[in-house]
Amino acid sequence: MATEAAEIDRSLLVDDFLQRRRYQLELADSAAADHTLVCLPTGLGKTTVSLLVTAERLHEVGGKALFLAPTKPLVQQHAEFYRDALSIPDDEIVVFTGDVRPDDRAAVWEDARIVIATPQVVENDLVGNRISLSDVSHCTFDECHRATGDYAYVYIAERYHADAANPLVTGMSASPGGDTEEIETVCENLGLRNVEVMTEDDADVDEYTHDTDVSWERVTLPDEVLSIRDALNEVITDRLEKLKRLGVTNTTNPDLSQRDLNEMRGKLKQMMDNDQSDGYKGMSTHAEVMKLRRAVELVETQSVESVRRYFERQREAARSSGASKASQRMVADPKVREAMRKAESFDGLHPKFSKARILLAETLGINEGERAILFTESRDTAEALVEFLSASFDVRKFVGQGDKEGSDGMSQKQQQETLDAFKDGAFEVLVSTSVAEEGLDVPEVDLVCFYEPVPTAIRSIQRKGRTGRQAEGKVVVLMADDTRDEAFFWISRRREKKMASQLSDLKEATDDIEESVGDDGQAGLDAFAGGSGTESDGSDAEVGDGSGGGDETADADGGDGEDADAGLTDFAEEARAGGDETDDEGTEGEASDGDLVDDGVVATAGVDEGVEVVVDQRELDSSIAKDLSTRDGLVTRLETLAVGDYVLSDRVAVERKSAADFVDSMLDSDRSMFEQVGELSRAYARPVMVVEGTNLYGQRDIDPNAIRGALASLAVDFDVSVLRTEGEEDTTELLATIAKREQETRDREVSVHGEKTTKTRAEQQEYVVSSIADIGPVTARTLLEHFGTVEAVMTAPEDDLLEVDGVGPVTAERIREVVGSEYE
């Protein structure tokens, strides 16, 4: 930690916008020197630290900065803060989310100096070879504690260290992990070598923190609610008896822990792997237990309304085609039906609703507070609370996007409008799901109410960070007696104490952690730079010189102009001339994405040499596309493929199915495997079916001879090569091998349209129309049915196109643009 005030160049900052905080300067100074994890309590301006490093890097090194945040509202918020705080033109600070078309993102990326994005979009664009990280001189990972497992941060960090000419990474979090090992994992995954921790006990930080009073309010569930729970628990006990007879559990207690359930699932999976039919039956019963436990959790900790909606969704799922046996058995059970009837007839009020109303009345009425937030785990509960509380208060909901579990979400625009109105005092109570927990710059409030205890320390800390920023705040947690709430209460209390202790311990142990991740991290960075298919020449040296970059995590705290008054100001006197990086590095950092220089870049935008693998967008759920994109000599491209999952040449396309998917598709009446393969074989001369997994003959109690018959039909009737692989890693190797043989040994080109011309006239017509603006085969058929001919589709005005089912304004505009624009 620097002991003197930081001397970072601030020439890109707007004068007098930020207020000077010494600890932020010191953190920024450290983060500008090496790949750094910055731990700072919620509400103390992690975004500002990130912004200072970005300003320094852009001025001294050049290139562009990438700022990654986990949600769209966070991305929008950080973009507004950066535009307000920096003298860079607004159109050079761009937002990169799934709302922007992929082709447009590629163009926007080229011209941007700062890109603020969701990680999933950047991951997709890297796999699809649409963008290059070669000239990104600073990368920020907001809420970096997410950088574990398969989360997109891990892949992006690997690609960034491998591809960037002069990388610098900053990871930021108020709560980086539950223990030292978790923190080291985050550091290793992001390539962080320096750890900077500040707690509320630090002198420089203390003056900006305030006490938060946390209290627990107990409520007692009425007998009618308990009877719903008891009926469901009887069914759980019955199902656990069946699992006990299989030898995977010793308990029939419906209150068993999640750990017990996980252990059961592991034992059942072992049985399945050994081709034991009881394993599949047991797994179905286990799935039923999980669904029932969710219903019990809702009735105990949420509301009767939320469990009523849950039951309705389960009924609909059980009636749908391809419904699981677990869903069908559950809704047919007499005890479950009894619980459903009780939930539908219950007209009382859940005691948590009453308690929430009392707390709000005390805070906003008696104590003359201005704003309050009520957090809940369930979107159904959020909507029910808004309806209930609106009779007494001015209330609005704040939930995630999309349609989740049968409940309408909010668009990004609606989310932003709601937050802006809350900040401006247009309403007094915000009822939010977890979308507002992490980093989002929700204004300071007088009360944060947890509708239920949060067993995860990270989330609890994030929520409580919404109050106590500028003045003393209050946090209340509602807890139902003799329910899972009590278990979560003790788990949450234990974990929060552990987290607070660990942050203090982390501060003391930073040297040891730095030594650990420094040694291992350097080897990891060398692997990033050289082991992912990059040339060692140029990349390793850049990473190892100690001036490399980092990603900034922008926390919403301190993230906009309003909160900026509590940030930094007047840096003009502290500006320094020059930096640690050389002019040569700065020049290289300013190379455009399209410049092909020998800097170890892998599969970057503009690269058109090497073996190409075209990947269907829907395959991004697996790790295969990401693994292929990091291979030396391989270039991946994303498309919405009409047939197949991977195209390896003009004659080879691959349909990939797991063993379970293979069997399921044999039984799928809507779109059978044979229909898919028929289309594949008509388009490509050498169609391939990859069946992935080692337990093909143990799926869904299907006669093995039926599966063998399907394999024989594929090979004999459809002339399809059926290849078996053990898992995703094996599939990746196979795809890479075939692509290299086709393109290097056979000298064949890649074509997403194949080489065969044996389609029927209707198929050819559908093919021509489906190729327009990538609209796909389904919409192509709909257009042809509506207009009658390909010519009529091509000449139809935009208004007529909009009359076709499935064609919206964006699709209609793209069709007219492709058909009517001059060829360049």
Side-chain angles (χ1 to χ4, degrees), residues 23-95:
Y23 68 86
Q24 290 175 325
L25 292 172
E26 292 178 345
L27 289 171
D29 187 52
S30 296
D34 201 353
H35 308 299
T36 300
L37 168 64
V38 175
C39 299
L40 187 65
T42 297
L44 294 173
K46 291 182 289 296
T47 307
T48 300
V49 175
S50 171
L51 180 136
L52 293 174
V53 182
T54 292
E56 162 78 355
R57 294 288 286 182
L58 292 181
H59 178 71
E60 295 296 328
V61 180
K64 66 183 63 180
L66 173 61
F67 189 113
L68 297 162
T71 65
K72 289 180 181 179
L74 267 176
V75 166
Q76 193 63 46
Q77 174 184 298
H78 294 319
E80 292 175 4
F81 176 50
Y82 268 57
R83 287 167 182 155
D84 289 341
L86 296 174
S87 58
I88 296 172
D90 284 358
D91 60 359
E92 294 181 14
I93 302 174
V94 301
V95 166

Side-chain angles (χ1 to χ4, degrees), residues 31 92 147 160 205 347 372 382 398 424 493 695:
E92 294 181 14
Y160 179 55
V205 177
D347 58 0
F398 188 81
D424 295 339
R493 173 161 290 190
N695 191 34

Side-chain angles (χ1 to χ4, degrees), residues 771-782:
S771 67
I772 305 172
D774 299 322
I775 62 174
V778 175
T779 305
R781 292 189 196 103
T782 306

Side-chain angles (χ1 to χ4, degrees), residues 756-774:
K756 300 182 75 173
T757 58
T758 57
K759 297 182 178 69
T760 65
R761 177 184 296 170
E763 288 173 337
Q764 292 180 59
Q765 290 170 325
E766 292 169 7
Y767 174 81
V768 171
V769 175
S770 68
S771 67
I772 305 172
D774 299 322

Side-chain angles (χ1 to χ4, degrees), residues 180 183-184 195-197 501-517:
T180 301
I183 294 165
E184 288 181 357
V195 179
E196 297 292 339
V197 182
S501 172
Q502 285 171 340
L503 282 176
S504 297
D505 294 343
L506 173 61
K507 187 175 178 65
E508 297 177 3
T510 52
D511 290 343
D512 293 337
I513 294 175
E514 287 172 356
E515 183 177 352
S516 173
V517 300

Side-chain angles (χ1 to χ4, degrees), residues 16 26 37 88 90 94 167 185 263-264 271 343 434 460-461 474 630 644 707 734 752 755 768 781 800:
D16 299 326
E26 292 178 345
L37 168 64
I88 296 172
D90 284 358
V94 301
T185 298
E263 289 178 358
M264 263 188 264
M271 295 173 67
S434 59
S460 186
I461 290 171
K474 183 178 182 181
T630 63
I707 298 172
L734 178 63
V752 296
E755 64 165 3
V768 171
R781 292 189 196 103
D800 290 349

